[in-house]
Amino acid sequence: MSTASRLMMSALSLLALVLVWQVAAWWAASPLLPGPAAVLAAMMRAAEGGALQRNIAITLARVAASFVIAMLLGSAIGIALGRSPRLNELFGPWVIVLLNLPALVIIILCYVWFGLTEAAAITAVSINKIPNVAVTMREGAAALSRDLDEMARVYRLGRWKLLRHVTLPQLVPFFTASARSGLALTWKIVLVVELLGRSNGVGFELQTAFQMFDVALVLAYALAFTAVVQLIEIGLLQPWERRVNRWRR
Amino acid sequence: MSAIGIDITGKQFPARAGAPAREIFRDFRLDVAAGEFLVLLGASGLGKTTLLNIIAGLDTDYRGAIRFEGAPPRIAYAFQSPRLLPWRTVLENVALVLPSGAEGREAARAMLADVGLAELADAYPERLSLGQQRRAALARAFVLRPDVLLMDEPFVSLDEASAHRLRDLLRRLIIRHPATVLFVTHDSREAAALASRIVRLEGTPVHIARDIRVDLGAAERGSPARLQAFLVAAGLAEPEALSDEV
Ligand SMILES: Nc1ncnc2c1ncn2[C@@H]1O[C@H](COP(=O)(O)OP(=O)(O)OP(=O)(O)O)[C@@H](O)[C@H]1O
Ligand SMILES: [Mg+2]
């Protein structure tokens, strides 16, 4: 299917979803299930004073910070564990424990130990994401090609050339996989962190709207933010993936 | 160019799930003179690749020593499989083994033209046929101007015309930049066409069954009939095998 017709299909599918929503809203006829028009109006209102944009920007900044930290630390830990069976024996179980700790527990502990600060919020989100990245990258690092490694040794490629031309390209698929699932996970956890311990951002606004039972505002924030995340996915992540994959048959 | 003293007192592969332990070499000695073109013949699974890996320094799990005369040599290894980086173009793969820079890229481009891959320089290896990938791997080995050149069945899966062209290229390159060559093949005619010495390996553990000096002139090496006559005289071929050749 061509890109154009695929976009067409997606648009039709989304349109159908909006229709279902509209019908459900008519049928419920309740302020607790506002229709698309009401949500759009709420979105406009929130955007008028700049509150919507500001809060989305704040949340995105938190997502970006914790995403970058988690990708860097998680990759480093995962590669180290994947390359050294000894390290993996020693610290592999730690990763499993972290992986299975509920996000909420990590968030609460961070706020309790470090106070209701920006640093605590970012740390909490990063710690939630790090074990996922580490596990994926460990898998990639353990599967590095011996053949290519031998080739690099015979031809005495230096450390930098080895890393840049041989090792990192083999890790790219694992890196993109964890970046992809990472972005989705990170922004969901950031909302919870904001709800529990911050006084701005999309999560905080959602909580305020919830306390006033303003469902239209909840949906307005949710949709606007989801759209922004999708734009990042389509505009940034996918082109980058295509670029690094252009050698594939 | 560098003489090589090969002295492997013991090499075995331990038993692994399914495969029993195997002793590949015991008290194996082979001295290769500087500038020699040594062709190794031997049955499949004997240990030829293992021997090249030990010489290349890739396999250090053996008893014994490999000694290179003089300064540590520059080694190039044309592996049994091409081992190109799939995410780099053919040109980048060849230039990779040279110092970075325009000079290296130019040398790589010239070498690709020599192996007949000029048009495919900017393609990715997975879009090449296996024979083309082999030629790219050979360009990578040659472009280094090695002192020691290890080649593990480099011309299999090439048509006879390409193989012939690459054998010529190999000869010319070695004249331009002399190297000590260890060349593994199953094709005894190819062995006679290239070698200054043919060593036939046999058995488990491996021993040297035949060690033959090859003193053929360029004219004899170019003639299939005379190569065949040499092989028959050396006991490396049956007399009637000539029938498939004209
Ligand atoms: N990593 C390994 N672990 C265990 N056994 C191995 C390993 N590598 C090779 N062998 C065994 O050692 C023997 C020699 O292998 P090698 O690859 O050197 O053979 P070869 O002479 O190059 O054969 P061919 O002509 O088919 O390439 C084989 O029986 C093989 O099964
Ligand atoms: Mg072999």
Side-chain angles (χ1 to χ4, degrees):
Chain A
M1 229 192 306
S2 73
T3 316
S5 55
R6 218 173 28 229
L7 276 179
M8 198 62 202
M9 278 307 290
S10 303
L12 279 177
S13 164
L14 286 179
L15 196 67
L17 183 64
V18 171
L19 273 176
V20 170
W21 173 17
Q22 179 66 70
V23 171
W26 270 329
W27 184 73
S30 148
L32 297 185
L33 182 50
V39 170
L40 196 65
M43 208 184 282
M44 294 308 212
R45 245 179 292 120
E48 234 160 57
L52 181 78
Q53 296 90 320
R54 191 163 25 92
N55 283 306
I56 287 182
I58 288 171
T59 300
L60 275 182
R62 288 185 184 129
V63 169
S66 36
F67 177 75
V68 168
I69 292 173
M71 288 307 290
L72 284 179
L73 285 181
S75 299
I77 294 170
I79 291 171
L81 297 187
R83 294 315 289 157
S84 158
R86 256 207 94 62
L87 278 183
N88 192 34
E89 262 166 33
L90 280 174
F91 298 110
W94 295 25
V95 175
I96 302 296
V97 169
L98 267 185
L99 199 59
N100 286 295
L101 216 53
L104 194 54
V105 173
I106 297 176
I107 297 167
I108 290 173
L109 288 179
C110 279
Y111 276 147
V112 169
W113 288 337
F114 308 123
L116 293 175
T117 61
E118 199 63 47
I122 305 279
T123 308
V125 182
S126 305
I127 292 180
N128 269 301
K129 174 62 189 151
I130 284 172
N132 295 61
V133 181
V135 166
T136 311
M137 294 305 283
R138 174 175 66 184
E139 199 185 315
L144 287 178
S145 157
R146 265 190 70 144
D147 280 6
L148 293 181
D149 186 58
E150 289 185 349
M151 185 279 291
R153 268 160 63 202
V154 164
Y155 287 107
R156 296 180 197 284
L157 307 188
R159 274 184 104 66
W160 167 239
K161 267 191 175 179
L162 176 72
L163 194 67
R164 171 154 173 232
H165 300 289
V166 184
T167 311
L168 289 183
Q170 294 184 68
L171 293 175
V172 162
F174 297 88
F175 193 79
T176 40
S178 49
R180 214 169 236 294
S181 69
L183 199 60
L185 185 73
T186 308
W187 78 259
K188 282 171 193 159
I189 296 176
V190 165
L191 295 194
V192 180
V193 168
E194 288 175 342
L195 184 142
L196 286 178
R198 298 276 75 208
S199 52
N200 51 21
V202 175
F204 174 76
E205 292 301 322
L206 284 175
Q207 188 196 23
T208 315
F210 167 50
Q211 279 164 358
M212 297 185 300
F213 270 56
D214 188 347
V215 180
L217 192 60
V218 169
L219 287 176
Y221 263 102
L223 286 182
F225 193 62
T226 309
V228 170
V229 170
Q230 277 305 306
L231 275 181
I232 293 176
E233 166 101 349
I234 296 169
L236 238 58
L237 223 47
Q238 286 180 6
W240 178 63
E241 258 186 287
R242 265 199 302 279
R243 216 187 98 78
V244 295
N245 281 332
R246 86 210 115 124
W247 55 273
R248 285 180 201 280
R249 271 185 301 172
Chain B
M1 214 169 33
S2 157
I4 311 170
I6 301 161
D7 184 359
I8 306 173
T9 38
K11 166 69 195 173
Q12 51 221 359
F13 286 113
R16 275 245 188 88
R22 276 194 60 131
E23 184 174 38
I24 311 284
F25 295 105
R26 189 199 305 153
D27 295 327
F28 179 86
R29 287 199 54 105
L30 178 63
D31 286 304
V32 188
E36 200 158 60
F37 196 122
L38 179 80
V39 172
L40 293 163
L41 290 172
S44 175
L46 202 72
K48 305 180 297 296
T49 299
T50 307
L51 180 61
L52 293 193
N53 284 344
I54 288 175
I55 297 170
L58 294 176
D59 188 342
T60 52
D61 182 23
Y62 67 98
R63 276 175 298 115
I66 305 295
R67 270 176 290 268
F68 296 100
E69 181 196 73
R74 196 147 40 165
I75 298 177
Y77 190 170
F79 297 94
Q80 202 160 357
S81 53
R83 302 200 190 180
L84 301 168
L85 302 173
W87 39 82
R88 293 287 179 267
T89 63
V90 170
L91 180 68
E92 289 165 341
N93 264 283
V94 176
L96 182 74
V97 302
L98 298 171
S100 317
E103 211 171 307
R105 290 179 81 78
E106 271 327 294
R109 210 176 268 288
M111 187 53 73
L112 281 172
D114 277 343
V115 300
L117 286 181
E119 283 98 86
L120 291 170
D122 297 318
Y124 287 97
E126 293 198 344
R127 303 198 179 119
L128 268 55
S129 74
L130 183 57
Q132 290 166 335
Q133 292 183 29
R134 280 188 176 288
R135 283 188 271 156
L138 288 171
R140 180 177 64 189
F142 293 159
V143 82
L144 199 62
R145 299 171 154 274
D147 306 305
V148 171
L149 180 54
L150 308 173
M151 307 183 80
D152 199 349
E153 303 184 39
F155 302 147
V156 300
S157 87
L158 292 178
D159 59 286
E160 189 41 44
S162 308
H164 187 80
R165 215 154 63 84
L166 287 173
R167 280 195 287 270
D168 273 351
L169 175 65
L170 175 57
R171 271 195 220 101
R172 274 185 284 123
L173 287 168
I174 290 168
I175 292 170
R176 236 191 287 162
H177 186 87
T180 308
V181 186
L182 272 88
F183 187 106
V184 171
T185 180
H186 287 281
D187 179 348
S188 48
R189 182 143 338 135
E190 178 170 81
L194 288 169
S196 64
R197 179 182 173 195
I198 298 176
V199 165
R200 177 166 202 96
L201 301 174
E202 266 174 24
T204 320
V206 173
H207 65 270
I208 296 175
R210 307 286 314 269
D211 188 341
I212 302 155
R213 193 140 292 289
V214 186
D215 294 310
L216 297 175
E220 291 159 297
R221 290 186 197 264
S223 146
R226 286 163 90 185
L227 284 180
Q228 182 65 18
F230 171 83
L231 290 169
V232 171
L236 288 172
E238 303 299 322
E240 65 273 8
L242 189 60
S243 53
D244 66 328
E245 183 62 61
V246 177

